[in-house]
Amino acid sequence: MNRQYDFSISSTQYIADDGQLIKPLPNTVNHDLLLEAYQNMVLIRAFDQKAVALQRTGKLGTYPSSLGQEAIGIAIGLAMRSDDVFVPYYRDHATQYLRGVSLTEILQYWGGDERGSDYQHCKEDMPVCVPIATQFCHAAGIASAFKIRGEKRASVVTGGDGSTSKGDFLESLNLSGVWQLPMVMAINNNQWAISTRREVQSHGETLAQKAISAGIPGVQVDGNDFVSLYDAMLTALNRAHSGKGPTLIEAVSYRLSDHTTADDATRYRSNEELKKGWDLEPVKRLRDYLHHQHLWDSDKETQLQQQVKQQVDKTVEEYLNIKPEPPSAMFNHLFEVLPVPLQQQYQEVCLLGGAGGQHRE
Ligand SMILES: Cc1ncc(C[n+]2csc(CCOP(=O)(O)OP(=O)(O)O)c2C)c(N)n1
């Protein structure tokens, strides 16, 4: 036998399912950070619940819930530096919010108004990506630009377990290794890609091991444990910022919601499995930990819930008060110069809903 290579994938968890500490907190994490993380996780959960309710009453378009992935979103958002660039997929409301995208903008986007992607802050972050895995190519491009310009910044890109089967993901992963790009790829392995189970998605034991083929570090963390993910993100970002190249992080979580509001997950998964998912969920886990440490109590929780409700209600009011653009606006957001085959459609839409044109014909 010639030369042999041995590989292993590490898997990290600090806070157990019952909120007890398994090992001492890493020195990147303190209690103030955990309180900040918890409060943001509660806010995003309340926002998410309201967004689903808005869709159900016809006031929002199809919406992908982030229920169960709050720890991932908040950890990424808190770990990133403001001059890094975030390249999100469609379940990343939490990170987007921490990056400076307002909750109103998030509702606006999912309400079908492209102005929701014209962020008033964090102008360099990318809009939500709905085509699966294309965002990895965008992130690789952005990271290449940072490298060529000698800027000590990183691109951070997210995707689901399903996205790791796509060529765009694998090509970007490979390129990130060859060019040693300052890039962090965080996979939200929430066990399902619509109705396709994780086991059907890949025969590999982990998704993190895909990093091995690209010659870059790949780690698996408990995606319901804020601490594990935050620490892994900081390590990966430090690597990227100091020119040491990319990292692939697989965060193991569970999608507690339907895939989107257009889906009915009861058609393909059992109640028992969902119940198990709820036993592992991230918000309760961090709250239990904070209780065990005497950092949280029921009065603080009641106060937080009231605060969060007010913030979400205000967001919804703002969103519902936005004057819609005419239907023709969808052409303007896509094209600077309208392609000839679409010109007739544009004229027809203008007749139906009034013009809103900015483009040159
Ligand atoms: C290129 C492309 N193919 C197919 C789809 C349809 N589609 C939307 S979501 C989805 C599953 C994605 O699952 P995963 O990557 O695991 O992310 P999750 O939604 O579970 O967070 C698919 C196939 C799409 N949006 N884009």
Side-chain angles (χ1 to χ4, degrees):
M1 192 187 288
N2 292 332
R3 193 166 160 203
Q4 187 179 336
Y5 298 90
D6 284 326
F7 301 108
S8 63
I9 291 294
S10 68
S11 195
T12 313
Q13 190 185 32
Y14 283 90
I15 301 179
D17 314 345
D18 60 359
Q20 298 290 352
L21 210 54
I22 295 172
K23 56 186 174 186
L25 290 179
N27 54 19
T28 50
V29 171
N30 61 34
H31 281 159
D32 284 347
L33 177 76
L34 293 184
L35 285 167
E36 187 184 358
Y38 176 68
Q39 289 165 18
N40 279 303
M41 281 161 71
V42 169
L43 170 67
I44 285 302
R45 183 162 286 189
F47 167 78
D48 195 72
Q49 201 178 5
K50 183 59 98 177
V52 173
L54 285 172
Q55 191 282 332
R56 298 284 184 237
T57 50
K59 293 182 177 126
L60 200 71
T62 301
Y63 172 79
S65 167
S66 62
L67 189 63
Q69 82 158 75
E70 294 87 352
I72 299 175
I74 297 298
I76 295 174
L78 289 177
M80 282 178 73
R81 279 194 335 217
S82 59
D83 65 340
D84 294 329
V85 168
F86 184 49
V87 191
Y89 88 119
Y90 47 77
R91 230 178 271 288
D92 279 321
H93 326 300
T95 311
Q96 287 197 299
Y97 170 68
L98 288 180
R99 299 284 301 157
V101 181
S102 74
L103 294 178
T104 309
E105 285 174 323
I106 295 173
L107 288 181
Q108 208 176 351
Y109 172 76
W110 291 107
D113 186 333
E114 289 292 343
R115 289 175 297 177
S117 296
D118 183 13
Y119 311 137
Q120 295 312 296
H121 307 284
C122 62
K123 289 270 186 201
E124 289 186 312
D125 280 5
M126 295 293 278
V128 163
C129 207
V130 175
I132 303 301
T134 49
Q135 69 274 21
F136 292 102
C137 303
H138 308 157
I142 293 164
S144 303
F146 292 157
K147 181 146 183 151
I148 290 163
R149 294 182 195 151
E151 294 175 2
K152 292 190 184 321
R153 305 164 69 188
S155 68
V156 175
V157 57
T158 51
D161 36 294
S163 73
T164 64
S165 301
K166 293 283 290 178
D168 303 49
F169 166 78
L170 295 160
E171 290 159 20
S172 310
L173 179 76
N174 189 56
L175 182 79
S176 77
V178 174
W179 285 0
Q180 286 294 285
L181 296 178
M183 173 166 160
V184 182
M185 284 158 276
I187 300 304
N188 174 14
N189 172 6
N190 63 19
Q191 312 301 324
W192 290 92
I194 315 187
S195 54
T196 302
R197 303 181 160 276
R198 157 65 183 86
E199 292 74 20
V200 180
Q201 197 65 246
S202 165
H203 192 57
E205 294 89 341
T206 69
L207 300 176
Q209 72 203 53
K210 296 193 182 211
I212 292 166
S213 66
I216 72 168
V219 293
Q220 190 185 59
V221 301
D222 183 333
N224 291 318
D225 171 18
F226 168 83
V227 177
S228 297
L229 199 69
Y230 181 82
D231 192 52
M233 275 302 297
L234 275 195
T235 306
L237 283 166
N238 282 340
R239 271 182 57 82
H241 292 145
S242 57
K244 292 186 182 140
T247 305
L248 176 66
I249 299 174
E250 174 191 358
V252 181
S253 73
Y254 190 81
R255 195 193 77 208
L256 293 169
S257 59
D258 293 331
H259 169 70
T260 65
T261 48
D263 175 46
D264 174 7
T266 60
R267 287 163 56 210
Y268 53 84
R269 70 177 181 190
S270 69
N271 282 338
E272 291 74 41
E273 184 187 308
L274 181 61
K275 194 182 159 306
K276 272 192 208 146
W278 275 104
D279 290 342
L280 304 176
E281 70 104 342
V283 178
K284 181 176 176 304
R285 186 182 309 194
L286 188 50
R287 183 170 61 235
D288 286 350
Y289 171 78
L290 295 173
H291 271 287
H292 296 323
Q293 301 298 314
H294 307 292
L295 293 165
W296 202 248
D297 56 36
S298 53
D299 287 349
K300 286 185 178 145
E301 182 67 24
T302 309
Q303 219 182 331
L304 175 64
Q305 292 291 349
Q306 280 167 359
Q307 228 174 284
V308 152
K309 183 177 180 316
Q310 277 172 11
Q311 189 175 344
V312 172
D313 286 350
K314 189 165 163 281
T315 300
V316 171
E317 198 188 321
E318 263 174 31
Y319 162 67
L320 294 176
N321 282 332
I322 294 170
K323 192 171 171 294
E325 288 192 301
S328 55
M330 65 183 155
F331 291 88
N332 308 323
H333 284 287
L334 275 179
F335 300 104
E336 188 192 10
V337 179
L338 196 64
V340 173
L342 290 181
Q343 285 180 7
Q344 191 187 341
Q345 287 184 28
Y346 176 73
Q347 296 305 339
E348 286 168 8
V349 169
C350 285
L351 285 177
L352 287 174
Q358 299 292 328
H359 59 264
R360 292 177 281 126
E361 287 180 20

